[in-house]
Amino acid sequence: MNKKFSLFAAACLMFAAQTFADVDPRIKQGAIFESQGKYEMALGEYRSMLAENSSNSVAYLAAANVRVKMKDYAGALANYRLAYKFDPKMSAAYEGAAKVYELLGDKKKAAEERAKDPKNSPAPEAAPAESAPAAEPVKTAETSKAEPAKVEPTKVEPPKPVEKAAEPVKTAEAPAKPAEAKPVESKPVEAKPAEPAKNVKPAESTETAKAAEPALPADPFERGKALFAAGKYSEAAPLWREVLKKTPGHAGAYFYAGLTRFELGEYDKAEFNLKKGLEYKEEGNDANYFLACVYQKNGKSDLETKFLNNYLKKAAPNGKYRRKAENRLAELNAVAKAAEAEKKSSEVIASSESRQAAKADSVKPVEPKTADAGSTASGAAVDEVSIAGGIAKFRSGDLDGALQIYKILLESEQAPDARSFVLLQMGNIYREMRDFNSAVNRYREVVELFPDSEWAEEAERANRDATWLQKHSSELPRKK
């Protein structure tokens, strides 16, 4: 959507908000949702207004502006027409419909919409009402206040039935009952059957939407682009083949074929077409971004990272997908760092384990002080309360059991070398449990209390690692 239309839509919303803010706060709330990109929520506000009054031209205008942002051009045209149907003076609705046709490249229909606006096509007001043709009622609706009280002005009363009888076409409304202003009440009988359909889903309903669909361009490439913009991917897909048959190697056709296949969930075909679409001069760099999206769907993070970087190298500072690409790349980098930290942690533990296994036989097992030590939470038997028993439980994955053994050992008298080893092992267990704070405390004890121990150097290295993990714990993948 071009910038001109965005400015126009914003102006319409400002007008609606200023004129009707005191009457219905839902207009203002809808505008807030629209500015946040929450289009369905904005439409919900306008639908609730239309459920109460299906003739609310302001709600139709606001819904039409949202539909344009959603690239639902048929729905937008339907709503603009309903807006000026119920309020013939609403120039913003005529202009909105014209802008939609301009977006679709149909200048002729855009001019026709503008010509419908009474302010752009003033009719001969001097013509007497007696000889007025079928189109005259539009003027009576506009000039009802200005004309003197003749026989005709009694027909100006249709603004009252607008709430119920607004459904009939304006051109047929006034001439149908030239001398019977009161019998108009019989009209709602014909109009009511059509109203419930609007109340159900006014922003997308009625046959007006079908009638509003613009004619598609004759050129298959442009027609395909229009269908793609309207979200009609299955209809657009065959047109790219047609273009490529006529013009083999057409980079634009490959590019849009890739986007279409991506939207249809056919990622292998999307990948093939997007790679060929990289040569498309107008939007070829966007193919890099969508290739990254394909690889994200397929779980290929290395390729995803590569094509995101390719896109960012060429993308302008205000590129369409730049912010999304930067955010996704930052996310991938955080995951990679967390994985690297996890790998490093595993390597340190493995290294520590191998050294512990080598030293296990040289460290004399220590018996617990109390006779009931074997009844700990881990269920460790008395004869297992030893460094070798702790190592065995650690290797088997029984972290709680190993931790209980080492806690019991700390309560007994030990040689400095054995005590420093127990503290180091406890730090390793806490790190495995993701209790990084406790791990850091145990590693520091080894370094501060036993600086000359053969385990001090490893404890210092493990402490740096655990400190980093503690600071970045929120970035780490969850422990399975």
Side-chain angles (χ1 to χ4, degrees):
M1 192 194 338
N2 60 29
K3 289 182 181 176
K4 287 183 180 177
F5 191 87
S6 297
L7 292 170
F8 164 74
C12 290
L13 282 174
M14 283 174 66
F15 168 78
Q18 288 167 5
T19 310
F20 295 89
D22 295 336
V23 178
D24 199 324
R26 287 172 290 187
I27 283 290
K28 188 177 288 186
Q29 184 58 55
I32 291 170
F33 283 139
E34 184 180 345
S35 68
Q36 295 170 346
K38 299 174 181 176
Y39 300 135
E40 282 300 332
M41 293 176 75
L43 286 176
E45 296 293 323
Y46 307 141
R47 285 185 192 127
S48 69
M49 293 171 66
L50 290 163
E52 292 173 8
N53 176 12
S54 61
S55 314
N56 193 325
S57 56
V58 176
Y60 281 121
L61 176 66
N65 291 338
V66 173
R67 289 279 163 198
V68 174
K69 290 189 176 181
M70 295 170 75
K71 296 187 179 177
D72 176 8
Y73 298 129
L77 284 168
N79 282 286
Y80 280 131
R81 286 177 171 171
L82 286 166
Y84 66 61
K85 174 181 177 180
F86 293 116
D87 183 358
K89 294 181 182 179
M90 188 175 273
S91 294
Y94 297 104
E95 184 62 22
K99 291 283 186 186
V100 170
Y101 277 120
E102 285 177 350
L103 287 172
L104 295 168
D106 195 334
K107 293 182 179 177
K108 183 181 176 185
K109 289 197 174 179
E112 288 173 4
E113 288 295 330
R114 288 194 177 98
K116 291 178 188 177
D117 187 352
K119 79 169 187 182
N120 293 334
S121 56
E125 295 179 16
E130 323 157 24
S131 57
E136 191 62 13
V138 176
K139 288 178 285 175
T140 58
E142 293 174 321
T143 58
S144 57
K145 294 179 184 178
E147 289 187 11
K150 296 181 185 178
V151 179
E152 292 301 320
T154 52
K155 292 180 284 182
V156 176
E157 295 214 2
K160 288 182 184 177
V162 164
E163 297 175 11
K164 294 182 180 180
E167 190 60 26
V169 181
K170 294 185 189 71
T171 53
E173 197 173 306
K177 300 272 180 182
E180 326 172 35
K182 290 181 182 178
V184 172
E185 292 178 11
S186 61
K187 282 284 180 182
V189 179
E190 298 170 21
K192 275 186 181 178
E195 282 194 32
K198 291 194 182 86
N199 289 339
V200 176
K201 207 173 183 183
E204 300 113 345
S205 62
T206 77
E207 294 176 6
T208 315
K210 292 179 184 175
E213 287 187 20
L216 293 168
D219 177 59
F221 181 65
E222 294 300 326
R223 188 160 71 253
K225 284 169 66 177
L227 287 169
F228 178 83
K232 298 179 180 179
Y233 308 122
S234 298
E235 293 178 42
L239 290 168
W240 312 127
R241 288 194 292 273
E242 186 182 328
V243 173
L244 288 165
K245 277 181 188 174
K246 291 180 181 177
T247 316
H250 193 299
Y254 276 121
F255 172 75
Y256 276 103
L259 296 188
T260 303
R261 294 297 174 187
F262 178 79
E263 294 292 347
L264 292 170
E266 299 171 6
Y267 301 126
D268 290 341
K269 291 179 181 177
E271 179 185 6
F272 173 83
N273 286 295
L274 286 167
K275 281 183 176 177
K276 290 183 173 289
L278 288 166
E279 303 302 319
Y280 185 37
K281 287 182 182 177
E282 284 78 356
E283 300 173 76
N285 188 41
D286 289 352
N288 279 308
Y289 175 75
F290 281 98
L291 278 166
C293 293
V294 167
Y295 293 126
Q296 181 183 359
K297 296 287 185 183
N298 291 334
K300 299 177 180 178
S301 55
D302 290 346
L303 286 170
E304 184 187 356
T305 301
K306 174 186 171 183
F307 281 93
L308 284 173
N309 282 317
N310 288 350
Y311 171 76
L312 290 171
K313 281 177 190 172
K314 297 179 183 178
N318 60 343
K320 195 189 301 183
Y321 307 107
R322 187 174 190 89
R323 182 172 293 179
K324 287 183 181 179
E326 288 173 340
N327 291 343
R328 178 58 184 161
L329 200 55
E331 188 181 324
L332 286 169
N333 288 337
V335 171
K337 280 182 183 177
E340 184 63 30
E342 189 76 7
K343 182 182 175 186
K344 185 180 176 184
S345 174
S346 301
E347 286 172 356
V348 170
I349 289 171
S351 168
S352 176
E353 268 195 23
S354 62
R355 293 184 65 187
Q356 290 158 11
K359 290 281 181 181
D361 296 332
S362 65
V363 180
K364 186 179 178 182
V366 180
E367 295 300 324
K369 282 183 179 179
T370 56
D372 63 342
S375 60
T376 59
S378 67
V382 174
D383 60 349
E384 290 179 325
V385 182
S386 64
I387 288 178
I391 290 173
K393 284 194 175 292
F394 183 79
R395 285 179 178 170
S396 69
D398 184 3
L399 300 180
D400 287 326
L403 190 58
Q404 290 301 325
I405 288 175
Y406 290 131
K407 283 180 177 177
I408 293 169
L409 290 174
L410 278 183
E411 294 173 3
S412 60
E413 294 179 8
Q414 294 174 306
D417 192 48
R419 198 169 187 80
S420 64
F421 173 77
V422 169
L423 288 168
L424 175 68
Q425 272 292 76
M426 290 179 76
N428 291 339
I429 291 170
Y430 281 127
R431 183 171 53 187
E432 276 293 285
M433 291 175 157
R434 300 297 176 87
D435 183 356
F436 301 121
N437 187 53
S438 298
V440 167
N441 289 336
R442 290 306 185 193
Y443 291 139
R444 280 179 183 164
E445 281 186 68
V446 177
V447 175
E448 291 170 7
L449 299 177
F450 306 100
D452 299 325
S453 164
E454 61 179 307
W455 305 110
E457 186 181 343
E458 185 168 338
E460 193 170 353
R461 184 169 59 248
N463 181 44
R464 286 195 299 270
D465 183 52
T467 302
W468 188 92
L469 290 170
Q470 185 181 15
K471 288 179 181 176
H472 298 82
S473 57
S474 62
E475 301 170 20
L476 298 175
R478 290 185 178 181
K479 187 75 174 174
K480 293 182 180 177

